[in-house]
Amino acid sequence: MGVRRRRRPRPATVIGVAGSLVVGLLATQAGVGPAAAAADLTLTVDVSAARHRISPDIYGMNGGDPALVAELDTPVARWGGNASSRYNFKNHTYNTGSDWYFENIVAGPDNTVEAFVQRNRDHGTKQVVAVPLIGWVAKDSPSSHPFACGFPATRFPEQDSFDQWDPNCGNGRRADANLTGAVPTDTSIPAGASFAGEMVSHLVNQFGPAARGGVKIYELDNEPVLWNSTHRDVHPEPVSYDELGGKGTATAAAIKAADPHAAVLGPSGWGYCEWVASGVDGCAPGADAAAHGGLNLSQWYLKNMKDFSDAHGGKRFLDYFDQHYYPQISGGKDPDANALRLRSTRSLWDPTYVDESWIGPGGVNAPPLQFIRQMKAWVAQHYPGTKVAITEYNWGALDDINGALAQADVLGIFGREGLDLATIWGEPKPTDPGAYAFRMYRNYDGVGSRFGDVSVSAVSSDQGQLAVYAAQRSSDRALTVMVVNKTGGDLTSRLALPGLRGGDRAQRFTYGPADLTSIVRGADLRVTRGGVSATYPANSVTLLVVPQRRH
């Protein structure tokens, strides 16, 4: 359905960093002195170390071109976004919220939740379906203009903007300030946890339970701490710990009652502020946190779910701890933006990387995010056994080689760090460089061959220049090594392969500026003295495949 929406509002982005750091990084991005830069670069892959399974669900999408989705055999798809917060499965109607004049829209036959499930079920794609948590769903509405809307001109005659196709529907702002006094029943009807249970039961009746081909995962709404912005006509008050926790546990229980083997995913926060603070507290733990043991919102959310589980005989009610992650960078493609895009992937894991945006020292002074590692640490402390997901992310510039490099880097990080599920929001077109970043992992040779599914130790002497990720493929034991050259110059480096009992040649597949329309199969490289020497072209992604030697 049309559960897409514009990027949520965020504080202004800050992309400046200390001058000396900028000079050094821009020199690397521009490819200054590539021979000197490459002189000491080493790569090492140890197939016996750091072995763990890579979840195929990290290669998911929220939507995407059907042909690309089919080509990649996309493992998981998500049905969510702002419009899902008030989706009424009984009348197939949703509300656009602040994305488009708070209007009730009747989903077309191809855009209902049932159509989404059927389409993905037919392709063997696991589905994530959001259920309403906000307390309201869209009431019956005309299927064409004039629509029911949250800030009608009949009630609020003076607003900053009205829908050009429906002049009765306004944006709910006057003099650039939010209007108050909207009447929820103009567009919506009350819907509690039992409504979510009915929605799950409806999908079970139509498609079967999760254990027999039905919907596998249900999401507890979408970005709840933004409700007082995105859906302020029905939820003008900021979300508190207690509201999020109470609605979350009640709805999770209703889902599990309707389909005991379905997984529950939440809270699906919009970004850093919701990661650590309730809507009441703002963007840092405050009085609301103090009233809940001093824990930040994520910590308390996990603990609350664990406490609810303990009170119900140990039954699990939260299967995935999910947050959205958008790096706070501009969408530009100038040298500064490109360099920052490639650096900012470090915020997912690097304990030495301090965010360079408003989140960092110049803003709310957050410590290094280590986003995935921190999520996993909180899970281990407050609700062990919960999986970790990022159901919205996008590093931008997917129509450019720089965005493809960042995307390839991100997918490598997801696998190495043990993320359980990820679905990109704002998917690349099939011809975009960003699509080739996915192909490098899911279809590098055009006949469905994939990056390995068992992550192994991969170390670069400078991950900021040559990022390296490695995995062994269970099906044929081949070693796959992904190398991302983030610089503007060709880099030559030896890849050490201690202990590898593989073949004497490495297959080579490269995607880069020389040909943005295909992944190029290069000449095989010889494996000698336990390693491979290779030159990695500027701004490129290279996959080396070392087949298992047959005896």
Side-chain angles (χ1 to χ4, degrees), residues 187-213:
T187 61
S188 306
I189 57 175
S194 61
F195 182 90
E198 291 179 59
M199 181 173 174
V200 175
S201 294
H202 166 71
L203 293 175
V204 168
N205 288 337
Q206 185 158 343
F207 301 105
R212 295 199 297 274

Side-chain angles (χ1 to χ4, degrees), residues 83-451:
S84 66
S85 291
R86 280 194 268 172
Y87 182 79
N88 186 340
F89 76 95
K90 296 180 180 180
N91 59 14
H92 306 302
T93 303
Y94 61 98
N95 187 278
T96 58
S98 61
D99 289 341
W100 191 260
Y101 299 101
F102 302 88
E103 295 175 358
N104 277 10
I105 306 293
V106 179
D110 293 334
N111 294 317
T112 64
V113 66
E114 296 89 347
F116 167 85
V117 174
Q118 186 66 62
R119 188 164 53 245
N120 285 283
R121 192 168 181 262
D122 290 345
H123 289 97
T125 302
K126 182 185 300 182
Q127 307 106 45
V128 179
V129 170
V131 299
L133 197 74
I134 192 171
W136 299 89
V137 293
K139 68 180 185 181
D140 289 337
S141 180
S143 57
S144 59
H145 296 293
F147 295 135
C149 49
F151 292 94
T154 51
R155 196 183 298 279
F156 301 95
E158 296 185 22
Q159 300 184 52
D160 291 346
S161 175
F162 291 92
D163 183 353
Q164 60 180 312
W165 295 287
D166 202 332
N168 188 49
C169 296
N171 71 345
R173 293 175 67 81
R174 182 182 179 190
D176 213 25
N178 288 342
L179 293 172
T180 60
V183 177
T185 53
D186 281 350
T187 61
S188 306
I189 57 175
S194 61
F195 182 90
E198 291 179 59
M199 181 173 174
V200 175
S201 294
H202 166 71
L203 293 175
V204 168
N205 288 337
Q206 185 158 343
F207 301 105
R212 295 199 297 274
V215 175
K216 298 291 187 183
I217 305 171
Y218 290 95
E219 179 180 14
L220 298 173
D221 211 291
N222 176 74
E223 301 179 352
V225 170
L226 287 185
W227 285 340
N228 65 321
S229 171
T230 53
H231 293 281
R232 62 182 182 271
D233 56 325
V234 297
H235 199 294
E237 298 302 318
V239 171
S240 67
Y241 278 60
D242 287 342
E243 181 184 7
L244 182 62
K247 286 183 173 179
T249 52
T251 303
I255 293 168
K256 295 287 188 177
D259 191 349
H261 294 290
V264 172
L265 177 149
S268 304
W270 69 264
Y272 176 75
C273 293
E274 188 165 347
W275 198 38
V276 298
S278 69
V280 172
D281 279 345
C283 199
D288 203 9
H292 294 82
L295 299 175
N296 70 35
L297 185 61
S298 289
Q299 294 169 319
W300 182 85
Y301 184 87
L302 288 163
K303 180 181 181 299
N304 184 61
M305 283 291 189
K306 175 66 162 57
D307 291 346
F308 189 77
S309 171
D310 291 345
H312 291 80
K315 180 178 179 179
R316 178 168 284 277
F317 290 94
L318 183 73
D319 300 275
Y320 290 84
F321 175 50
D322 171 53
Q323 297 287 359
H324 299 166
Y325 190 79
Y326 291 95
Q328 299 299 280
I329 59 178
S330 75
K333 302 172 191 174
D334 58 275
D336 284 2
N338 285 346
L340 177 56
R341 181 174 292 108
L342 296 180
R343 292 196 304 274
S344 65
T345 61
R346 294 166 57 192
S347 62
L348 289 168
W349 64 274
D350 191 344
T352 69
Y353 181 72
V354 178
D355 203 273
E356 300 168 59
S357 73
W358 59 270
I359 297 173
V364 298
N365 201 30
L369 294 179
Q370 306 175 72
F371 196 79
I372 297 172
R373 294 186 181 186
Q374 189 63 75
M375 290 174 72
K376 291 168 76 76
W378 286 340
V379 162
Q381 182 177 0
H382 298 289
Y383 200 176
T386 307
K387 296 178 181 180
V388 177
I390 300 175
T391 58
E392 286 190 26
Y393 73 93
N394 194 316
W395 254 258
L398 292 171
D399 59 349
D400 186 87
I401 185 61
N402 181 263
L405 299 179
Q407 183 61 43
D409 196 30
V410 165
L411 292 175
I413 292 168
F414 286 171
R416 185 193 66 194
E417 296 297 315
L419 191 69
D420 294 294
L421 186 150
T423 48
I424 189 172
W425 183 279
E427 306 77 23
K429 301 180 183 69
T431 56
D432 282 345
Y436 286 92
F438 278 91
R439 289 184 176 104
M440 289 294 286
Y441 287 89
R442 299 288 296 175
N443 185 25
Y444 61 80
D445 59 358
V447 293
S449 296
R450 299 175 183 172
F451 188 68

